[in-house]
């Protein structure tokens, strides 16, 4: 279905102009370094909620995980449950308030800076910054790929052109407007995402004959599950995989737990809590953030699974086969094939919004990690607007190069990898740090290094999905993985996070015990 180029150009220009105007407003309000880094610590609850949600939900959720739902089915809805229960309620209520209080008390300006000041050691700031710069470019590249793939399909331009143009536009308003611009544009983009996903859900159910007919048809397609998936435990697109099967482990440990728990310690999201003036603002933000996440992830996963019904009815193929085997192409193909011209443009803007809102936060976080937490740590230059702007540019270029080098069907996996690393390395120390009056400095150091090391080791040598692609284990040991099933399909998070937590608890209890003995 051809899209009218004139209408597309007009709507895209309007969107870009509004985005840049909001970025300019952020620029005008960015006077001090704290404005650039933390939006002046005075953000409105709705802005916080939409910015948090829009940053959380990117093209990786809509395109990447939507494609995974087309491949593995509606079992992915469990991730929506985790996203709301953990990513919104638990994050805002249990961690958000304490993070805001600690941030205001220590005057921390970044997540690594917060960790360093809570535990009173610059080493933790440095280590946190290193982990961010090792893991976040991978996630950033995945988000770039999602947006560029849809632009490539919709505008009929080369993938490289779409990727570079997309990256540069986002970089412009991040570099000049800082976090104020990022949060303003996030809120605008979040509103567009909400409209686009609502329309997408309604039209999809209309196309498959309604809610009951569509879900019934999907359940009836179980005999069409490819043998390669059926042999690994998949039972259909409307049911869970066999308990304990390879696909069950992938769905639950990598996608549901990896992303659902990993969200709690993502640096670009933790910073949002530090922009609130008071705790009451975070309570109000939950009322907006919960429904927003429900609509974003719930719709993406539901529509992703239902594309199998649409493509089978119209092309005689399941969704992934229709997309040439690339799960990242399922949602773009479905939109461009099934939807009316106007909605193709609206959804393109929805995806642009999803990608740009996340990218802007990732650029900002990586740039400040490079400048504030590594290069200029403890120096006046760390608070220089120009230095932080240069940091954003450097990390933007690195992410584009990485995106050009990454393989197909990588978006969802790269997202889960980054979130798993964040949870394994940061979550235990972060949780103890914001709640304990005397957190263990040695425990935080040991927990963070242990969690990161075990996660990397398991990823490189045991978890087949990454170990096979990286080839390091094959080169060093002569085997793709050093362990067999079921360890090869259990996500690194499931092993690394508990060990990291145990290390943190042991050090914390030991130090409390030693303090008690010294007082006695």
């Amino acid at each position: 279905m051809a899209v009218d180029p004139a209408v597309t150009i007009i709507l895209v220009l309007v969107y870009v102009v509004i985005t840049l105007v909001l970025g300019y407003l952020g620029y005008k309000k960015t006077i001090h370094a704290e404005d650039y880094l933390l939006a002046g610590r005075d953000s409105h609850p709705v802005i916080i909620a939409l910015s948090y949600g829009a940053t959380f939900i990117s093209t990786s959720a809509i395109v990447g995980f939507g494609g995974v739902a087309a491949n593995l089915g509606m079992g992915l809805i469990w991730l929506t449950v985790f996203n709301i229960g953990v990513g919104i309620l638990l994050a805002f209520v249990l961690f958000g308030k304490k993070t805001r209080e600690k941030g205001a008390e220590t005057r921390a300006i970044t997540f690594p800076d917060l960790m360093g000041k809570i535990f009173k050691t610059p080493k933790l700031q440095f280590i946190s910054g290193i982990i961010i710069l090792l893991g976040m470019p991978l996630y950033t590249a995945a988000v770039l790929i999602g947006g560029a793939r849809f632009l490539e399909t919709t505008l009929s331009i080369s993938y490289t052109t779409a990727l570079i143009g997309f990256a540069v536009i986002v970089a412009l308003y991040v570099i000049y407007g800082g976090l104020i611009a990022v949060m303003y544009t996030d809120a605008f983009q979040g509103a567009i995402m909400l409209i686009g996903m609502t329309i997408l859900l309604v039209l999809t159910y209309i196309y498959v004959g309604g809610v009951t007919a569509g879900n019934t048809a999907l359940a009836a397609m179980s005999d069409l599950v490819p043998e390669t998936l059926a042999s690994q435990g998949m039972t259909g697109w409307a049911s869970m995989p066999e308990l304990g099967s390879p696909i069950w482990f992938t769905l639950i440990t990598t996608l549901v737990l990896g992303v659902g728990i990993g969200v709690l310690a993502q640096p670009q999201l933790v910073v949002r809590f530090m922009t609130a003036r008071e705790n009451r603002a975070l309570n109000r933000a939950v009322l907006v953030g919960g429904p927003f996440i429900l609509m974003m992830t719930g719709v993406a996963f539901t529509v992703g699974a239902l594309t199998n019904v649409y493509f089978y009815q119209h092309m005689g193929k399941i969704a992934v086969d229709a997309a040439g085997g690339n799960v990242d192409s399922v949602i773009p193909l479905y939109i461009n094939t099934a939807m009316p011209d106007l909605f193709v443009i609206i959804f393109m803007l929805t995806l642009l919004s999803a990608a740009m809102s996340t990218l802007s936060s990732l650029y900002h976080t990586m740039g400040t990690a490079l400048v504030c937490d590594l290069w200029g740590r403890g120096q006046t230059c760390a608070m220089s607007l120009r230095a932080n702007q240069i940091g954003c540019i450097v990390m933007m270029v690195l992410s584009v190069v990485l995106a050009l080098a990454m393989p197909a069907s990588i978006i969802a996996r790269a997202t889960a990898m980054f979130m798993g690393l964040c949870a394994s390395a940061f979550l235990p120390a972060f949780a103890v740090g914001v709640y304990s009056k005397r957190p263990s400095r040695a425990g935080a150091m040991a927990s963070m290094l242990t969690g990161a090391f075990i996660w990397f080791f398991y990823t490189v040598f045991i978890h087949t999905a990454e170990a096979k692609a990286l080839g390091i284990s094959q080169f060093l040991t002569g085997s793709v993985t050093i362990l067999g099933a079921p360890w090869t399909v259990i996500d690194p998070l499931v092993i690394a996070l508990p060990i990291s937590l145990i290390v943190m608890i042991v050090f914390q209890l030991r130090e409390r015990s030693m303090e008690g003995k010294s007082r006695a």
Side-chain angles (χ1 to χ4, degrees), residues 287-310:
L287 300 177
V288 178
F292 180 85
I293 296 298
L294 172 63
M295 283 303 299
M296 293 302 104
T297 60
V299 170
F301 305 157
T302 300
V303 169
L306 288 171
T307 57
N308 286 287
V309 176
Y310 176 85

Side-chain angles (χ1 to χ4, degrees), residues 20-51:
L20 293 179
V21 166
L22 290 172
Y24 177 75
L25 292 176
Y27 165 74
K28 294 294 289 183
K29 289 192 173 186
T30 300
I31 300 171
H32 306 292
E34 193 169 84
D35 298 329
Y36 188 89
L37 298 167
L38 281 178
R41 300 185 193 266
D42 190 26
S43 298
H44 190 278
V46 174
I47 297 293
I48 294 173
L50 289 178
S51 178

Side-chain angles (χ1 to χ4, degrees), residues 52-62 83 139 193 292-293 296-297 353-355 357-358:
Y52 181 97
T55 299
F56 183 6
I57 303 301
S58 66
T59 47
S60 63
I62 299 173
N83 284 340
Y139 179 35
M193 291 162 63
F292 180 85
I293 296 298
M296 293 302 104
T297 60
S353 297
S357 58
T358 302

Side-chain angles (χ1 to χ4, degrees), residues 65 86 92 97 112 140 154-155 158 229 261 301 389 411 481 516:
F65 282 81
V86 177
F92 274 77
K97 296 175 183 178
T140 307
T154 306
L155 301 181
S158 74
L229 294 179
I261 296 176
F301 305 157
Q389 290 168 339
I411 296 176
T481 62

